[in-house]
Amino acid sequence: MKRRTFLLGGLLASSTAFAAPKKKATSNGTGLKKSSRSGLRAPSGPAPIKVPAKLAPEMALSGGVWRPYDLKVDVSSTSHGDDATLWIPIPMDTPWQQVTGISWSGGGNKAGIRFDPASQLHVYVAENGSNTPDVTLNMRIETRTRQFDITKRGTFFHESEEELDRNVRETGYQGTSDSLRRLADEVTGRIIEPLPRARALYDWVLDKALSGQCSAYELALPPRTTCLSPKGEDVAIAFVNLCRALNIPARAVWGQIIGESRLNPKLGATGNVTKDQRVRAEFHTPGYGWIPVDPGDVIRLQQLEGLSATDARLTNLRKKLFGFWEMNWVGYQYGPGFKLPGGPDTGLAGLATPLATIGNPRAGRTSDAEVRYQIDARPLG
């Protein structure tokens, strides 16, 4: 079984074909190939991670030291009797998380990494005939705390108008655009500025969710989602849709827990994290850029601990998580509304676990297939 080891930056040539280094890479003694892409370095190197120049100001808004983790995804072979394609998401590179190394074994000859620029989704893709192949994907990741600082106005990089426009478009919810806007207007009242408007929406949707009044924001939920047992991801997406209704750019971020939490032990995990996916959110305001929020973990803690809506632990946590992401987590891509690079329309709002499809998407006969996998994470150092 062949084993391939790369720096991620050397693989991303295009969104339509598997990427390949244009020049022969040289060894750096670590088992990784050198890459000139800014933002990546070999795991054993002492130098700090570099980011593109336009991201440097936003880097300053993150705090603390970089913390390294190993993240491993094991997929077991499954026979489907038709053309099968395996997709495994890879964390994004941002000022608060970096993929510093990636390697895989298995997958056959038709395996590589593809990229969707709209959602910033990198995926490992393996095409293996009638079987989903045996694959082990190993990643080295470093994260640092993401903290919004209200005193840092004007120090962010300027987001493109195209990206901002993409994140105010309708992407699917149960109500109509008019009904959603009326609801958002009722919540925010006479508040005009985007930052306090977003704060009002965050507090309102959490008030309703924590007190079991899901019907109040049901029309902001994704299609086919019911109020029987709303999850943290539902509340995060409802917040995003309410922001967009007021023309505040917002996006959900699908990701994976990779370490223990310093806020509460039940908000983290290590070792086998196969079922520890989370959705967080962020919104954009002039002067500050993208601001992180995490209403989903507030709901999760309430459900795990059986807390009342007014419990002091929830009150403190919801204040903390407006403008803060605890980076025992990595994000894979922005949504709702992502696309598999070169793949079919799955109908999924986001991707944070391996996915298999069978059939030929160009012939219109693609469907999801069962995937057996395990995800393990461990801190380093």
Side-chain angles (χ1 to χ4, degrees):
M1 184 177 291
K2 295 181 179 179
R3 180 179 181 86
R4 301 173 180 134
T5 305
F6 294 93
L7 283 182
L8 183 58
L11 291 166
L12 307 178
S14 74
S15 61
T16 59
F18 291 127
K22 294 183 179 179
K23 297 181 180 180
K24 185 176 180 180
T26 56
S27 172
N28 58 16
T30 64
L32 293 172
K33 295 182 179 179
K34 289 184 178 179
S35 170
S36 61
R37 182 187 177 191
S38 177
L40 295 174
R41 64 182 175 90
S44 60
I49 291 174
K50 297 178 181 179
V51 296
K54 75 170 188 175
L55 296 182
E58 195 159 320
M59 172 74 86
L61 302 185
S62 301
V65 299
W66 288 98
R67 295 186 178 88
Y69 297 87
D70 271 343
L71 182 63
K72 182 174 74 170
V73 182
D74 281 312
V75 178
S76 302
S77 177
T78 306
S79 177
H80 301 297
D82 203 344
D83 292 337
T85 305
L86 173 67
W87 313 81
I88 304 176
I90 296 170
M92 298 182 288
D93 282 339
T94 72
W96 36 88
Q97 65 178 52
Q98 297 284 328
V99 178
T100 59
I102 181 168
S103 66
W104 68 82
S105 59
N109 295 325
K110 293 183 178 181
I113 294 176
R114 292 183 180 177
F115 177 60
D116 174 37
S119 64
Q120 295 295 297
L121 172 64
H122 299 93
V123 283
Y124 166 88
V125 186
E127 301 177 64
N128 203 52
S130 61
N131 293 321
T132 300
D134 280 318
V135 173
T136 298
L137 184 67
N138 291 285
M139 292 169 278
R140 165 73 180 270
I141 303 162
E142 297 194 12
T143 70
R144 63 184 301 181
T145 296
R146 185 180 181 188
Q147 178 76 58
F148 166 66
D149 186 344
I150 199 170
T151 68
K152 299 293 185 180
R153 185 178 179 87
T155 60
F156 68 99
F157 77 91
H158 292 277
E159 186 62 89
S160 69
E161 290 298 321
E162 180 184 5
E163 182 65 19
L164 295 180
D165 180 63
R166 180 183 297 117
N167 286 287
V168 293
R169 296 176 192 162
E170 298 180 16
T171 53
Y173 39 82
Q174 294 187 21
T176 65
S177 57
D178 287 341
S179 62
L180 191 67
R181 181 172 180 82
R182 284 196 298 271
L183 175 61
D185 279 333
E186 290 174 5
V187 172
T188 55
R190 296 184 179 182
I191 302 172
I192 298 175
E193 293 297 320
L195 180 57
R197 285 190 114 185
R199 181 58 190 258
L201 293 172
Y202 173 87
D203 285 334
W204 179 83
V205 76
L206 274 177
D207 283 342
K208 300 305 180 182
L210 291 171
S211 59
Q213 301 177 56
C214 177
S215 59
Y217 60 90
E218 185 174 14
L219 58 84
L221 294 176
R224 300 179 299 277
T225 303
T226 67
C227 272
L228 295 177
S229 57
K231 301 177 182 178
E233 64 189 55
D234 301 325
V235 178
I237 294 172
F239 168 80
V240 167
N241 285 330
L242 287 166
C243 283
R244 291 182 174 190
L246 296 180
N247 209 37
I248 299 173
R251 56 196 184 190
V253 188
W254 272 255
Q256 170 74 55
I257 291 292
I258 59 172
E260 296 178 347
S261 171
R262 299 186 178 188
L263 298 177
N264 186 288
K266 294 193 175 180
L267 297 180
T270 189
N272 187 340
V273 293
T274 303
K275 297 183 179 180
D276 290 288
Q277 289 73 45
R278 304 283 190 277
V279 176
R280 294 181 177 177
E282 57 185 8
F283 66 96
H284 189 279
T285 65
Y288 291 111
W290 291 102
I291 298 174
V293 297
D294 187 10
D297 265 2
V298 181
I299 302 303
R300 180 172 179 79
L301 183 62
Q302 182 196 38
Q303 293 175 344
L304 291 174
E305 296 276 13
L307 304 176
S308 70
T310 57
D311 190 283
R313 286 168 288 182
L314 294 180
T315 301
N316 292 334
L317 185 64
R318 63 188 289 177
K319 290 179 180 178
K320 178 72 172 178
L321 294 182
F322 185 88
F324 178 83
W325 280 357
E326 185 181 17
M327 294 305 294
N328 62 333
W329 167 95
V330 286
Y332 289 118
Q333 95 286 329
Y334 302 118
F338 88 106
K339 294 181 180 179
L340 282 173
D345 181 2
T346 65
L348 297 174
L351 184 67
T353 60
L355 171 72
T357 60
I358 57 173
N360 185 345
R362 294 179 182 177
R365 52 184 193 88
T366 300
S367 62
D368 294 347
E370 181 182 357
V371 188
R372 296 196 299 265
Y373 62 87
Q374 180 169 318
I375 304 173
D376 293 279
R378 65 184 182 94
L380 301 174

PDB file of all heavy atoms in Angstrom, residues 236-255:
ATOM      1  N   ALA A 236     -27.357  27.848  15.487  1.00  0.00           N
ATOM      2  CA  ALA A 236     -26.310  28.603  14.794  1.00  0.00           C
ATOM      3  C   ALA A 236     -26.781  28.999  13.395  1.00  0.00           C
ATOM      4  O   ALA A 236     -26.570  30.143  12.955  1.00  0.00           O
ATOM      5  CB  ALA A 236     -25.031  27.775  14.714  1.00  0.00           C
ATOM      6  N   ILE A 237     -27.430  28.073  12.694  1.00  0.00           N
ATOM      7  CA  ILE A 237     -27.899  28.372  11.341  1.00  0.00           C
ATOM      8  C   ILE A 237     -29.054  29.363  11.379  1.00  0.00           C
ATOM      9  O   ILE A 237     -29.158  30.253  10.511  1.00  0.00           O
ATOM     10  CB  ILE A 237     -28.292  27.077  10.623  1.00  0.00           C
ATOM     11  CG1 ILE A 237     -27.052  26.201  10.406  1.00  0.00           C
ATOM     12  CG2 ILE A 237     -28.968  27.367   9.290  1.00  0.00           C
ATOM     13  CD1 ILE A 237     -27.361  24.816   9.885  1.00  0.00           C
ATOM     14  N   ALA A 238     -29.929  29.259  12.375  1.00  0.00           N
ATOM     15  CA  ALA A 238     -31.019  30.226  12.512  1.00  0.00           C
ATOM     16  C   ALA A 238     -30.461  31.630  12.721  1.00  0.00           C
ATOM     17  O   ALA A 238     -30.958  32.610  12.144  1.00  0.00           O
ATOM     18  CB  ALA A 238     -31.928  29.830  13.669  1.00  0.00           C
ATOM     19  N   PHE A 239     -29.414  31.756  13.539  1.00  0.00           N
ATOM     20  CA  PHE A 239     -28.764  33.053  13.746  1.00  0.00           C
ATOM     21  C   PHE A 239     -28.226  33.593  12.420  1.00  0.00           C
ATOM     22  O   PHE A 239     -28.403  34.778  12.096  1.00  0.00           O
ATOM     23  CB  PHE A 239     -27.631  32.918  14.766  1.00  0.00           C
ATOM     24  CG  PHE A 239     -26.731  34.107  14.823  1.00  0.00           C
ATOM     25  CD1 PHE A 239     -27.109  35.246  15.527  1.00  0.00           C
ATOM     26  CD2 PHE A 239     -25.507  34.107  14.169  1.00  0.00           C
ATOM     27  CE1 PHE A 239     -26.279  36.365  15.570  1.00  0.00           C
ATOM     28  CE2 PHE A 239     -24.668  35.213  14.208  1.00  0.00           C
ATOM     29  CZ  PHE A 239     -25.054  36.348  14.906  1.00  0.00           C
ATOM     30  N   VAL A 240     -27.574  32.748  11.646  1.00  0.00           N
ATOM     31  CA  VAL A 240     -27.029  33.169  10.352  1.00  0.00           C
ATOM     32  C   VAL A 240     -28.140  33.669   9.434  1.00  0.00           C
ATOM     33  O   VAL A 240     -28.026  34.737   8.815  1.00  0.00           O
ATOM     34  CB  VAL A 240     -26.264  32.006   9.691  1.00  0.00           C
ATOM     35  CG1 VAL A 240     -25.971  32.304   8.222  1.00  0.00           C
ATOM     36  CG2 VAL A 240     -24.973  31.730  10.439  1.00  0.00           C
ATOM     37  N   ASN A 241     -29.230  32.934   9.351  1.00  0.00           N
ATOM     38  CA  ASN A 241     -30.323  33.324   8.457  1.00  0.00           C
ATOM     39  C   ASN A 241     -30.991  34.619   8.904  1.00  0.00           C
ATOM     40  O   ASN A 241     -31.390  35.443   8.071  1.00  0.00           O
ATOM     41  CB  ASN A 241     -31.347  32.198   8.358  1.00  0.00           C
ATOM     42  CG  ASN A 241     -30.861  31.055   7.495  1.00  0.00           C
ATOM     43  OD1 ASN A 241     -30.090  31.252   6.559  1.00  0.00           O
ATOM     44  ND2 ASN A 241     -31.291  29.842   7.806  1.00  0.00           N
ATOM     45  N   LEU A 242     -31.114  34.832  10.209  1.00  0.00           N
ATOM     46  CA  LEU A 242     -31.695  36.077  10.708  1.00  0.00           C
ATOM     47  C   LEU A 242     -30.784  37.261  10.398  1.00  0.00           C
ATOM     48  O   LEU A 242     -31.264  38.344  10.023  1.00  0.00           O
ATOM     49  CB  LEU A 242     -31.936  35.971  12.215  1.00  0.00           C
ATOM     50  CG  LEU A 242     -33.109  35.075  12.632  1.00  0.00           C
ATOM     51  CD1 LEU A 242     -33.046  34.761  14.128  1.00  0.00           C
ATOM     52  CD2 LEU A 242     -34.446  35.745  12.283  1.00  0.00           C
ATOM     53  N   CYS A 243     -29.471  37.073  10.526  1.00  0.00           N
ATOM     54  CA  CYS A 243     -28.537  38.140  10.162  1.00  0.00           C
ATOM     55  C   CYS A 243     -28.671  38.482   8.684  1.00  0.00           C
ATOM     56  O   CYS A 243     -28.739  39.659   8.295  1.00  0.00           O
ATOM     57  CB  CYS A 243     -27.105  37.716  10.464  1.00  0.00           C
ATOM     58  SG  CYS A 243     -26.625  37.792  12.204  1.00  0.00           S
ATOM     59  N   ARG A 244     -28.706  37.471   7.848  1.00  0.00           N
ATOM     60  CA  ARG A 244     -28.795  37.697   6.404  1.00  0.00           C
ATOM     61  C   ARG A 244     -30.078  38.414   6.025  1.00  0.00           C
ATOM     62  O   ARG A 244     -30.101  39.191   5.068  1.00  0.00           O
ATOM     63  CB  ARG A 244     -28.688  36.363   5.666  1.00  0.00           C
ATOM     64  CG  ARG A 244     -27.307  35.726   5.740  1.00  0.00           C
ATOM     65  CD  ARG A 244     -27.256  34.432   4.943  1.00  0.00           C
ATOM     66  NE  ARG A 244     -25.895  33.892   4.887  1.00  0.00           N
ATOM     67  CZ  ARG A 244     -25.520  32.885   4.111  1.00  0.00           C
ATOM     68  NH1 ARG A 244     -26.409  32.309   3.326  1.00  0.00           N
ATOM     69  NH2 ARG A 244     -24.267  32.464   4.112  1.00  0.00           N
ATOM     70  N   ALA A 245     -31.137  38.149   6.776  1.00  0.00           N
ATOM     71  CA  ALA A 245     -32.404  38.819   6.497  1.00  0.00           C
ATOM     72  C   ALA A 245     -32.295  40.326   6.677  1.00  0.00           C
ATOM     73  O   ALA A 245     -33.051  41.094   6.062  1.00  0.00           O
ATOM     74  CB  ALA A 245     -33.498  38.257   7.404  1.00  0.00           C
ATOM     75  N   LEU A 246     -31.348  40.780   7.511  1.00  0.00           N
ATOM     76  CA  LEU A 246     -31.119  42.209   7.734  1.00  0.00           C
ATOM     77  C   LEU A 246     -29.937  42.726   6.928  1.00  0.00           C
ATOM     78  O   LEU A 246     -29.395  43.789   7.208  1.00  0.00           O
ATOM     79  CB  LEU A 246     -30.889  42.469   9.222  1.00  0.00           C
ATOM     80  CG  LEU A 246     -32.058  42.157  10.151  1.00  0.00           C
ATOM     81  CD1 LEU A 246     -31.689  42.459  11.597  1.00  0.00           C
ATOM     82  CD2 LEU A 246     -33.293  42.963   9.739  1.00  0.00           C
ATOM     83  N   ASN A 247     -29.518  41.935   5.923  1.00  0.00           N
ATOM     84  CA  ASN A 247     -28.399  42.314   5.058  1.00  0.00           C
ATOM     85  C   ASN A 247     -27.071  42.383   5.812  1.00  0.00           C
ATOM     86  O   ASN A 247     -26.155  43.103   5.414  1.00  0.00           O
ATOM     87  CB  ASN A 247     -28.667  43.638   4.353  1.00  0.00           C
ATOM     88  CG  ASN A 247     -27.978  43.730   3.009  1.00  0.00           C
ATOM     89  OD1 ASN A 247     -27.890  42.742   2.283  1.00  0.00           O
ATOM     90  ND2 ASN A 247     -27.469  44.910   2.676  1.00  0.00           N
ATOM     91  N   ILE A 248     -26.963  41.629   6.897  1.00  0.00           N
ATOM     92  CA  ILE A 248     -25.695  41.483   7.615  1.00  0.00           C
ATOM     93  C   ILE A 248     -25.049  40.194   7.107  1.00  0.00           C
ATOM     94  O   ILE A 248     -25.593  39.109   7.316  1.00  0.00           O
ATOM     95  CB  ILE A 248     -25.911  41.389   9.137  1.00  0.00           C
ATOM     96  CG1 ILE A 248     -26.583  42.644   9.665  1.00  0.00           C
ATOM     97  CG2 ILE A 248     -24.587  41.146   9.858  1.00  0.00           C
ATOM     98  CD1 ILE A 248     -26.989  42.550  11.137  1.00  0.00           C
ATOM     99  N   PRO A 249     -23.897  40.273   6.419  1.00  0.00           N
ATOM    100  CA  PRO A 249     -23.260  39.040   5.946  1.00  0.00           C
ATOM    101  C   PRO A 249     -22.968  38.095   7.113  1.00  0.00           C
ATOM    102  O   PRO A 249     -22.431  38.502   8.141  1.00  0.00           O
ATOM    103  CB  PRO A 249     -21.959  39.539   5.308  1.00  0.00           C
ATOM    104  CG  PRO A 249     -22.236  40.965   4.938  1.00  0.00           C
ATOM    105  CD  PRO A 249     -23.137  41.475   6.030  1.00  0.00           C
ATOM    106  N   ALA A 250     -23.340  36.848   6.965  1.00  0.00           N
ATOM    107  CA  ALA A 250     -23.139  35.857   8.027  1.00  0.00           C
ATOM    108  C   ALA A 250     -22.977  34.490   7.390  1.00  0.00           C
ATOM    109  O   ALA A 250     -23.486  34.236   6.295  1.00  0.00           O
ATOM    110  CB  ALA A 250     -24.317  35.856   9.004  1.00  0.00           C
ATOM    111  N   ARG A 251     -22.272  33.606   8.089  1.00  0.00           N
ATOM    112  CA  ARG A 251     -22.077  32.261   7.564  1.00  0.00           C
ATOM    113  C   ARG A 251     -21.878  31.273   8.698  1.00  0.00           C
ATOM    114  O   ARG A 251     -21.304  31.600   9.738  1.00  0.00           O
ATOM    115  CB  ARG A 251     -20.894  32.220   6.597  1.00  0.00           C
ATOM    116  CG  ARG A 251     -19.581  32.705   7.167  1.00  0.00           C
ATOM    117  CD  ARG A 251     -18.578  33.004   6.059  1.00  0.00           C
ATOM    118  NE  ARG A 251     -17.269  33.396   6.600  1.00  0.00           N
ATOM    119  CZ  ARG A 251     -16.273  33.893   5.859  1.00  0.00           C
ATOM    120  NH1 ARG A 251     -16.439  34.050   4.551  1.00  0.00           N
ATOM    121  NH2 ARG A 251     -15.124  34.223   6.415  1.00  0.00           N
ATOM    122  N   ALA A 252     -22.383  30.082   8.482  1.00  0.00           N
ATOM    123  CA  ALA A 252     -22.138  28.981   9.407  1.00  0.00           C
ATOM    124  C   ALA A 252     -20.825  28.318   9.016  1.00  0.00           C
ATOM    125  O   ALA A 252     -20.434  28.334   7.846  1.00  0.00           O
ATOM    126  CB  ALA A 252     -23.281  27.973   9.353  1.00  0.00           C
ATOM    127  N   VAL A 253     -20.141  27.735   9.986  1.00  0.00           N
ATOM    128  CA  VAL A 253     -18.868  27.066   9.734  1.00  0.00           C
ATOM    129  C   VAL A 253     -18.953  25.654  10.304  1.00  0.00           C
ATOM    130  O   VAL A 253     -19.123  25.477  11.516  1.00  0.00           O
ATOM    131  CB  VAL A 253     -17.691  27.828  10.381  1.00  0.00           C
ATOM    132  CG1 VAL A 253     -16.371  27.219   9.925  1.00  0.00           C
ATOM    133  CG2 VAL A 253     -17.741  29.312  10.039  1.00  0.00           C
ATOM    134  N   TRP A 254     -18.869  24.660   9.424  1.00  0.00           N
ATOM    135  CA  TRP A 254     -18.935  23.256   9.842  1.00  0.00           C
ATOM    136  C   TRP A 254     -17.545  22.802  10.274  1.00  0.00           C
ATOM    137  O   TRP A 254     -16.551  23.056   9.582  1.00  0.00           O
ATOM    138  CB  TRP A 254     -19.427  22.382   8.701  1.00  0.00           C
ATOM    139  CG  TRP A 254     -20.918  22.260   8.647  1.00  0.00           C
ATOM    140  CD1 TRP A 254     -21.674  21.186   9.020  1.00  0.00           C
ATOM    141  CD2 TRP A 254     -21.842  23.257   8.211  1.00  0.00           C
ATOM    142  NE1 TRP A 254     -23.016  21.457   8.850  1.00  0.00           N
ATOM    143  CE2 TRP A 254     -23.148  22.722   8.352  1.00  0.00           C
ATOM    144  CE3 TRP A 254     -21.709  24.560   7.732  1.00  0.00           C
ATOM    145  CZ2 TRP A 254     -24.297  23.427   8.018  1.00  0.00           C
ATOM    146  CZ3 TRP A 254     -22.848  25.272   7.401  1.00  0.00           C
ATOM    147  CH2 TRP A 254     -24.121  24.709   7.547  1.00  0.00           C
ATOM    148  N   GLY A 255     -17.466  22.118  11.430  1.00  0.00           N
ATOM    149  CA  GLY A 255     -16.157  21.730  11.923  1.00  0.00           C
ATOM    150  C   GLY A 255     -16.180  20.546  12.858  1.00  0.00           C
ATOM    151  O   GLY A 255     -17.204  19.872  13.039  1.00  0.00           O
TER     152      GLY A 255
END
